[in-house]
């Protein structure tokens, strides 16, 4: 009996030891999943570890080697090309990931950045070996976004479950949490009575007819710096004015995400050390309402960047304590700013209450009359004011071309005529009026064809935020003029900088390299138009799989992708649909578009709504 009790005790101890071991292993697993270096955090690691269980190739396939790479050579692979069965899902805490604006990456790699110059808010993209090759999951409880125009005033809280701005800006009427929704009353730091009344007051200060800021179509494109949740840009839309609402991914992290969720044009960016990704003379008006920018730093370099972006006769509306407060510090800043803009040849157009509006000169006359050695200097003659992908800002004044100087302005027609009128800067590319008009006509036919394929899949309010991933002259966006949508026109950084033609047409956009991630939050666009983008990726030696995963990150659930490319490209993408949770909606071949190459095909895809098991549990 004694021996039996001893044997029983040993068995109990063995069982206890096994339980402890199992618990310890489970703990290690959970710990590794939750750490920043989890297997799914950096995709290239996860692909190598998953091996043939991830890709449909043979046992022992070298995912980082030749066989994997061959899958991106469209039409050149064989039957054994590695085709994804599934793609890993990122950890749920990456649901708001912006790869090139990821502060965790900056901290982990210990980049030496000057915080006082806002370098840590500029783009810093991870190298290929640290990329996230996983699908970004939506947050728990995610719903199809509220449709425009209702979305201007409210969004689902579950889609952006970040309400700290509602508390922090409660005295400024930015946003209010109301049950399952977040409401936007249209307030702001310096427009407590609503953005619409504030906009009308600016128009009144400038003596524009009917207090309408569009001034008979002469003001169309606006840059709103430090835009908050973009209520200023939201209320401009009813006046046929489109604003590029700009803010960094800073302590108010989700302000641009809120703007895009509302259906308002917006972009993540900062006045730091690099030029903003817009050509010279892009905007009729720049605006800053208490955006906490030190305009006097580095010899006024930030104001000079605005000067580069403003058209001849363009305005800068500035609402800030420096414009009206009477304490010693604000008075000193006001005096120094006034002296700086006077040397830049800006004049005060109006000053009232909390706001001052400066106007930029129409010609070079004032610059030529300045005393020798006056600071800031004129930019060098070899400086290209339209080079914007990476060049540092310059503390100099960009003079006008001889043509602009002679015509005393930009030479643009009022909106909406400027959308289809050949812009003056066509000549910069050697394009003729006939080429421009033909491009406009061809893209109108193509867009009509796209909409015919989409057919019953969309209603008039289905789409709002659109992106043309290779915009050329902006004719895709121009063809959508009668739809209730806006288009982010993206121009390739290594091609003709036609973005200035796009802005001259009264549209907006940015420069980008599709070998990198785009500066936006996940789930921010309803439709992506990829015309020959994948063929370009192949020529540049970049990964088509990376681009597909990046497009999935940007695209909203239930959103659409239009692939317009070579037949081999379309066949390659079709093989990835299941792994991406995408499904084909329709196709068209070259016979239906006489203006495209015979080998070109159109494929329209829809992204499915999917959730992780963790997000499902949290939403229950």
């Amino acid at each position: 009996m004694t021996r039996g009790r001893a044997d029983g005790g040993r068995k109990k101890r063995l069982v206890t030891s096994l339980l402890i071991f199992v618990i310890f292993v489970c703990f290690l697993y959970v710990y590794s999943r939750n750490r920043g270096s989890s297997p799914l955090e950096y995709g290239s690691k996860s692909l190598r570890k998953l091996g043939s269980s991830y890709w449909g190739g043979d046992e022992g396939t070298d995912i980082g080697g030749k066989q994997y790479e061959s899958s991106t050579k469209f039409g050149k692979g064989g039957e054994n090309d590695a085709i994804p069965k599934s793609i890993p899902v990122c950890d749920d805490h990456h649901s708001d990931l912006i790869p090139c604006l990821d502060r965790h990456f900056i901290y982990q790699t210990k980049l030496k950045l000057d915080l006082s110059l806002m370098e840590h808010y500029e783009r810093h993209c991870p190298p290929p070996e640290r990329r996230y090759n996983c699908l970004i999951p939506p947050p728990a409880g995610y719903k199809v976004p509220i449709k425009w125009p209702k979305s201007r005033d409210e969004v689902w809280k579950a889609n952006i479950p970040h309400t700290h701005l509602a508390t922090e800006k409660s005295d400024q009427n930015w946003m209010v949490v109301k049950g399952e929704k977040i409401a936007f009353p249209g307030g702001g730091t310096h427009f407590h009575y609503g953005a619409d009344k504030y906009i009308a007051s600016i128009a009144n200060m400038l003596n524009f007819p009917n207090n309408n800021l569009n001034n008979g179509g002469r003001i169309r494109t606006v840059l709103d710096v430090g835009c908050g949740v973009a209520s200023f840009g939201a209320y401009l839309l009813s006046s046929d004015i489109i604003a590029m609402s700009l803010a960094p991914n800073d302590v108010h992290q989700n302000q641009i995400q809120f703007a895009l969720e509302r259906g308002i044009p917006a972009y993540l960016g900062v006045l730091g050390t690099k030029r903003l990704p817009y050509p010279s003379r892009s905007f009729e008006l720049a605006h800053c309402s208490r955006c906490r920018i030190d305009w006097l730093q580095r010899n006024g370099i930030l104001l000079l960047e605005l000067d580069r972006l403003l058209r001849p006769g363009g305005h800068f509306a500035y609402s800030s304590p420096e414009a009206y407060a009477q304490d010693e510090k604000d008075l000193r800043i006001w005096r120094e700013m006034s002296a700086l803009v006077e040397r830049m040849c800006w004049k005060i157009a109006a000053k009232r209450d909390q706001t001052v509006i400066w106007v930029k000169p129409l010609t070079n006359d004032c610059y030529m009359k300045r005393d020798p050695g006056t600071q800031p200097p004129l930019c060098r003659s070899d400086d290209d004011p339209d080079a914007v992908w990476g060049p540092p800002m310059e503390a100099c004044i960009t003079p006008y071309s001889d043509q602009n100087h002679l015509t005393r302005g930009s030479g643009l027609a009022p909106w909406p005529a400027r959308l289809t009128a050949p812009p003056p800067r066509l000549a910069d590319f050697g394009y003729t009026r006939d080429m421009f008009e033909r491009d406009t006509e061809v893209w109108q036919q193509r867009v009509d064809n796209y909409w015919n394929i989409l057919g019953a899949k969309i209603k008039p309010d289905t789409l709002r935020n659109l992106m043309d991933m290779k915009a050329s002259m902006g004719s895709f966006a121009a063809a959508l003029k009668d739809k209730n949508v806006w288009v982010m026109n993206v121009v390739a950084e290594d091609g003709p900088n036609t973005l200035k033609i796009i802005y001259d047409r009264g549209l907006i956009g940015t420069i980008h390299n599709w070998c990198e991630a785009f500066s936006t939050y996940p789930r921010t666009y309803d439709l992506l138009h990829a015309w020959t983008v994948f063929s370009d990726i192949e020529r540049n030696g970049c990964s088509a799989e990376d681009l597909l995963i990046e497009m999935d990150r940007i695209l909203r659930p239930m959103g659409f992708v239009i692939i317009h490319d070579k037949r081999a490209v379309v066949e390659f993408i079709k093989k990835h649909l299941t792994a991406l949770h995408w499904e084909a909606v329709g196709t068209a071949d070259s016979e239906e578009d006489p203006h495209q190459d015979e080998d070109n095909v159109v494929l329209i895809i829809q992204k499915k709504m999917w959730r992780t098991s963790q997000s499902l549990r949290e939403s229950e």
Side-chain angles (χ1 to χ4, degrees):
M1 294 292 290
T2 305
R3 186 167 45 200
R5 284 195 297 269
D7 289 344
R10 281 196 294 270
K11 289 179 181 178
K12 287 181 180 178
R13 285 195 296 272
L14 180 60
V15 171
T16 302
S17 299
L18 285 172
L19 285 172
I20 291 172
F21 177 76
V22 170
I23 292 169
F24 178 73
V25 170
C26 291
F27 172 80
L28 282 179
Y29 175 76
V30 173
Y31 180 70
S32 67
R33 292 278 297 177
N34 290 331
R35 287 190 62 193
S37 58
S38 69
L40 297 188
E41 180 170 4
Y42 294 112
S44 57
K45 284 190 214 170
S46 64
L47 296 190
R48 283 194 291 270
K49 288 180 179 179
L50 285 161
S52 61
S53 67
Y54 176 80
W55 297 98
D58 295 334
E59 186 74 25
T61 295
D62 180 8
I63 298 301
K66 187 175 181 180
Q67 184 172 347
Y68 167 68
E69 291 297 330
S70 70
S71 69
T72 64
K73 301 298 183 183
F74 306 120
K76 299 178 182 178
E79 293 180 1
N80 294 323
D81 278 350
I83 304 303
K85 295 179 178 178
S86 62
I87 297 176
V89 177
C90 299
D91 293 339
D92 281 11
H93 66 269
H94 291 315
S95 66
D96 292 337
L97 175 69
I98 311 165
C100 293
L101 296 171
D102 182 10
R103 285 180 292 172
H104 296 294
F105 168 71
I106 292 173
Y107 298 150
Q108 290 169 2
T109 52
K110 299 180 180 179
L111 296 179
K112 295 181 179 179
L113 304 174
D114 191 330
L115 304 187
S116 67
L117 302 184
M118 302 297 175
E119 283 188 296
H120 54 307
Y121 295 140
E122 295 179 326
R123 288 174 57 85
H124 302 282
C125 296
E129 66 272 13
R130 293 181 66 95
R131 281 191 173 181
Y132 295 82
N133 282 338
C134 48
L135 303 180
I136 303 295
Y142 182 86
K143 302 180 181 181
V144 173
I146 294 171
K147 305 301 183 185
W148 182 268
K150 193 176 180 181
S151 63
R152 187 196 72 174
D153 301 322
E154 60 181 23
V155 301
W156 295 115
K157 184 174 66 174
N159 291 9
I160 310 179
H162 306 286
T163 57
H164 58 281
L165 275 176
T167 303
E168 186 175 339
K169 302 293 183 180
S170 59
D171 61 328
Q172 298 168 19
N173 223 20
W174 276 25
M175 48 189 277
V176 180
V177 178
K178 292 185 175 180
E180 294 186 344
K181 296 178 180 178
I182 295 174
F184 302 89
T189 310
H190 280 86
F191 34 99
H192 301 289
Y193 301 107
D196 52 347
K197 294 180 176 60
Y198 172 74
I199 291 166
S201 71
I202 292 176
N204 181 265
M205 290 171 67
L206 293 170
N207 295 315
F208 288 169
N210 303 316
N211 293 339
N212 192 331
L213 194 60
N214 76 8
N215 191 26
R218 293 173 183 83
I219 290 185
R220 165 63 181 171
T221 53
V222 169
L223 177 66
D224 187 17
V225 180
C227 65
V229 293
S231 289
F232 182 75
Y235 282 83
L236 286 173
L237 290 165
S238 61
S239 298
D240 274 341
I241 298 174
I242 189 165
M244 179 65 81
S245 295
L246 186 79
N249 185 30
D250 60 9
V251 292
H252 302 141
Q253 292 179 43
N254 303 93
Q255 49 194 340
I256 291 297
Q257 191 177 20
F258 279 118
L260 290 164
E261 182 73 12
R262 297 173 70 185
I264 304 165
Y267 185 80
L268 278 160
V270 66
L271 282 166
T273 66
K274 305 279 182 66
R275 283 179 173 175
L276 293 177
Y278 317 119
S280 66
R281 309 194 306 276
S282 291
F283 301 98
E284 281 88 37
L285 174 75
H287 171 258
C288 173
S289 175
R290 193 63 178 96
C291 47
R292 299 179 180 177
I293 291 176
D294 178 7
W295 297 105
L296 298 173
Q297 64 174 281
R298 293 174 284 159
N299 301 312
I301 195 169
L302 304 185
L303 273 174
L304 290 161
E305 174 66 359
L306 289 189
D307 183 82
R308 181 184 71 85
L309 296 174
L310 283 174
R311 298 194 193 277
H315 294 87
F316 176 40
Y318 184 55
S319 297
S320 188
E322 293 84 18
Y324 64 89
Q326 296 299 308
D327 63 90
E328 184 177 341
K329 179 182 176 182
D330 288 323
L331 285 170
R332 176 186 60 79
I333 294 173
W334 172 252
R335 286 192 295 267
E336 292 182 21
M337 279 189 70
S338 296
L340 172 60
V341 298
E342 185 176 353
R343 296 194 302 272
M344 291 166 56
C345 293
W346 290 8
K347 303 292 184 185
I348 291 181
K351 188 172 184 291
R352 182 191 302 167
D353 300 328
Q354 301 177 342
T355 304
V356 59
I357 304 174
W358 286 288
V359 60
K360 183 180 174 181
L362 286 168
T363 69
N364 292 328
D365 290 341
C366 175
Y367 306 143
M368 300 298 104
K369 293 177 182 177
R370 299 189 314 160
D371 294 335
T374 298
Q375 297 295 318
L378 296 182
C379 296
R380 302 182 312 275
S381 59
D382 61 351
D383 177 72
D384 180 4
D386 299 323
V388 295
W389 185 253
M393 294 180 190
E394 298 286 347
C396 59
I397 298 170
T398 304
Y400 300 127
S401 65
D402 292 341
Q403 179 65 27
N404 283 130
H405 176 73
L406 290 172
T407 57
R408 298 181 60 82
S410 61
L412 296 175
W415 178 266
R418 76 169 62 169
L419 180 65
T420 52
R425 290 197 272 189
L426 274 178
D428 293 359
F429 304 91
Y431 297 161
T432 65
R433 173 186 287 266
D434 286 344
M435 291 169 65
F436 174 81
E437 292 175 348
R438 186 61 175 161
D439 188 72
T440 301
E441 178 185 338
V442 165
W443 278 105
Q444 183 64 63
Q445 293 173 7
R446 287 177 176 169
V447 168
D448 289 344
N449 185 38
Y450 294 158
W451 254 246
N452 287 335
I453 299 171
L454 283 166
K457 283 283 184 178
I458 60 170
K459 297 178 180 179
D461 65 352
T462 299
L463 305 176
R464 175 60 185 169
N465 303 351
L466 276 61
M467 178 186 288
D468 189 1
M469 297 174 67
K470 186 181 176 183
S472 188
M473 286 189 273
S475 294
F476 170 84
L480 294 164
K481 60 184 180 297
D482 296 327
K483 310 288 185 186
N484 208 359
V485 303
W486 66 272
V487 179
M488 178 67 78
N489 293 280
V490 181
V491 171
E493 58 88 19
D494 60 348
N497 188 359
T498 53
L499 195 56
K500 50 189 174 182
I501 293 176
I502 288 167
Y503 274 93
D504 284 356
R505 298 184 77 169
L507 305 168
I508 62 169
T510 186
I511 299 284
H512 188 60
N513 179 347
W514 283 112
C515 293
E516 300 179 359
F518 192 77
S519 292
T520 193
Y521 282 87
R523 305 172 302 279
T524 46
Y525 284 88
D526 297 300
L527 184 145
L528 306 177
H529 175 237
W531 173 61
T532 69
V533 174
F534 282 87
S535 292
D536 294 341
I537 282 287
E538 182 182 26
R539 283 192 295 271
N540 293 337
C542 301
S543 167
E545 286 90 351
D546 283 351
L547 179 56
L548 284 169
I549 292 172
E550 170 62 6
M551 291 168 69
D552 184 80
R553 185 186 72 86
I554 293 172
L555 193 64
R556 286 172 166 172
M558 305 307 291
F560 296 88
V561 180
I562 300 175
I563 305 292
H564 191 158
D565 216 313
K566 295 181 296 186
R567 191 176 302 275
V569 170
V570 170
E571 292 305 315
F572 169 84
I573 291 171
K574 282 182 178 179
K575 295 175 182 177
H576 290 72
L577 295 183
T578 300
L580 289 162
H581 308 290
W582 295 0
E583 63 180 359
V585 170
T587 60
D589 58 31
S590 57
E591 294 179 1
E592 298 179 46
D593 184 353
H595 308 292
Q596 71 179 15
D597 294 339
E598 291 184 4
D599 190 41
N600 277 15
V601 180
V602 174
L603 171 66
I604 298 185
I605 299 158
Q606 186 172 25
K607 178 179 176 178
K608 297 178 183 178
M609 177 75 79
W610 60 270
R611 296 185 179 91
T612 64
S613 56
Q614 181 179 338
S615 66
L616 282 172
R617 286 194 301 271
E618 291 177 0
S619 62
E620 289 175 354

